[in-house]
Amino acid sequence: MDLEEKQLIKMQVRDGFIAGSPIVVGYLPIAIAYGVLAKQAGMTLMELTGMSLLVYAGAAQFMGAGMIGLGVSALEIIIATFVLNFRHFVMSLSFINQIKHYARKWKFGLSLGLTDETFSVSSIYKKQENQAYGYFFYGTIMLTSYLSWVLGSFLGGMLGDIIPQNLSQSMGVALYAMFIGLLIPSIRKYKRIAVISIAAMLINYIVSPYIGDGWGIVVGTVLGAFIGIFVLEEEKI
Amino acid sequence: MMIWVIIIGMALVTVIPRIIPAFIVDFIQFPDWVNKWLQAIPYAALGALIFPGIMTVIPDQPYIGVVAGIVAILLAWLRIHVIFVVLSAILTVFLLTI
């Protein structure tokens, strides 16, 4: 590998790190809170960190730890997790279709790291998909997010609540603000996108009280994007 | 022991839906409208992830999340980098909850 290639890879890794930094800011306090809760639910440090390493899904882990604490059966917990995380299938399908031309190993590796947050960042940063070594950009986003989640869980389980309560409560808005910060520039460029997002919001708001948060996001996303088929113009996306 | 069974079960039902697309997109040629639908998914997902979830930031005071969200919208509209949008929203909630 010559110097220029190394330089390109380095640049993609650096850009990935910058693009992923809001996820790290959002994940750390939530992961710490998860570690604290899981400890209180009676899980050992190894179990709660292991759950972050293997499951790597925030909301599902909060739910799982809570249900373990309540003594709910394994089967119920696993089914509830499936329902809550099924939205990642829809997101993965969209992201993998975006990077269709990548080698199978990259598609596989990147799909392993897919969460609400890594999906959102990766699918909004589209220009890297056709750049040389763009997969290093996406890979860096996936890896830094994963590591911050695992590290935060471990810290929470080991040290307890190390972030003052009112600060960690305030940091709960971080990921929502990141979603907004990703969405608005797209809408600014192409206003019709707002129709899709607002439709998805309203659909989720209307249906989630009946079918739960997990399915609410799935239905909102799937139907909201359907509206996109009619409002988006081919050449502008 | 039971906890590890739960963890592994949760891991499997989470990872399988995540990775299936990596193995199927090579074999399926989607019609145009499906491609368009898939391209619209990020914007729909962002909408569904933002609202109504943002109202639960401070569960008993839903307006605080909404105010922080409006601050984030304004700053993002002014082309402020996303990391500062995030920090400003955190600061907004912090100030409103003192």
Side-chain angles (χ1 to χ4, degrees):
Chain A
M1 189 180 294
D2 63 35
L3 206 64
E4 198 181 333
E5 285 178 333
K6 265 191 188 153
Q7 204 59 37
L8 282 171
I9 293 175
K10 222 186 204 169
M11 253 173 55
Q12 294 293 0
V13 170
R14 188 203 59 196
D15 289 351
F17 204 76
I18 295 170
S21 57
I23 304 182
V24 176
V25 173
Y27 272 6
L28 278 175
I30 299 177
I32 291 170
Y34 154 76
V36 173
L37 176 104
K39 198 75 186 288
Q40 286 164 356
M43 292 169 70
T44 65
L45 188 60
M46 195 140 115
E47 287 163 349
L48 68 89
T49 312
M51 191 188 265
S52 286
L53 273 166
L54 296 173
V55 181
Y56 184 40
Q61 285 182 232
F62 271 96
M63 185 194 67
M67 288 168 97
I68 286 171
L70 293 171
V72 177
S73 78
L75 190 66
E76 277 178 89
I77 298 176
I78 293 167
I79 292 172
T81 303
F82 174 75
V83 168
L84 193 58
N85 287 341
F86 188 74
R87 64 185 188 280
H88 293 147
F89 173 74
V90 183
M91 296 179 190
S92 179
L93 195 61
S94 168
F95 177 60
I96 298 295
N97 196 49
Q98 177 186 328
I99 57 163
K100 205 171 180 175
H101 53 290
Y102 282 9
R104 172 83 53 81
K105 64 172 184 191
W106 281 104
K107 282 191 277 217
F108 174 69
L110 293 172
S111 72
L112 280 177
L114 205 100
T115 63
D116 295 343
E117 293 76 21
T118 58
F119 165 72
S120 303
V121 173
S122 303
S123 56
I124 294 297
Y125 287 79
K126 283 190 205 303
K127 77 167 194 272
Q128 278 81 3
E129 83 191 48
N130 291 316
Q131 288 176 352
Y133 302 107
Y135 30 83
F136 279 93
F137 171 79
Y138 298 115
T140 305
I141 294 174
M142 303 301 183
L143 207 58
T144 46
S145 306
Y146 181 63
L147 293 178
S148 64
W149 179 254
V150 174
L151 179 73
S153 319
F154 178 76
L155 288 178
M158 196 170 66
L159 304 174
D161 248 329
I162 44 174
I163 300 180
Q165 213 229 320
N166 55 347
L167 182 60
S168 81
Q169 196 182 18
S170 310
M171 288 175 91
V173 81
L175 295 174
Y176 294 110
M178 181 186 78
F179 293 142
I180 292 172
L182 291 169
L183 180 59
I184 295 298
S186 306
I187 293 178
R188 207 172 189 277
K189 258 185 268 168
Y190 186 31
K191 308 274 187 306
R192 290 186 178 201
I193 285 172
V195 178
I196 301 169
S197 308
I198 292 169
M201 286 181 186
L202 294 178
I203 294 166
N204 184 22
Y205 181 64
I206 293 165
V207 301
S208 57
Y210 302 102
I211 58 176
D213 293 343
W215 285 117
I217 292 173
V218 172
V219 172
T221 302
V222 167
L223 296 184
F226 255 110
I227 294 171
I229 299 172
F230 304 102
V231 300
L232 296 179
E233 296 146 301
E234 204 67 62
E235 66 283 6
K236 289 202 181 172
I237 357 174
Chain B
M1 189 57 225
M2 199 55 198
I3 291 185
W4 282 105
V5 172
I6 294 172
I7 291 172
I8 290 167
M10 288 174 72
L12 287 175
V13 298
T14 303
V15 80
I16 291 169
R18 267 182 194 160
I19 59 171
I20 285 176
F23 295 95
I24 60 172
V25 289
D26 291 339
F27 304 106
I28 305 173
Q29 194 58 49
F30 293 122
D32 282 349
W33 68 269
V34 174
N35 277 316
K36 219 169 164 190
W37 175 68
L38 289 171
Q39 284 173 337
I41 292 235
Y43 311 116
L46 283 169
L49 288 169
I50 293 166
F51 188 83
I54 197 166
M55 297 198 295
T56 62
V57 172
I58 308 292
D60 47 347
Q61 287 166 293
Y63 83 91
I64 290 181
V66 174
V67 172
I70 292 169
V71 169
I73 291 173
L74 292 175
L75 294 178
W77 194 266
L78 297 171
R79 299 174 192 267
I80 307 287
H81 190 274
V82 62
I83 190 76
F84 297 109
V85 173
V86 168
L87 296 176
S88 309
I90 293 172
L91 185 68
T92 305
V93 176
F94 188 74
L95 294 174
L96 288 173
T97 49
I98 289 178

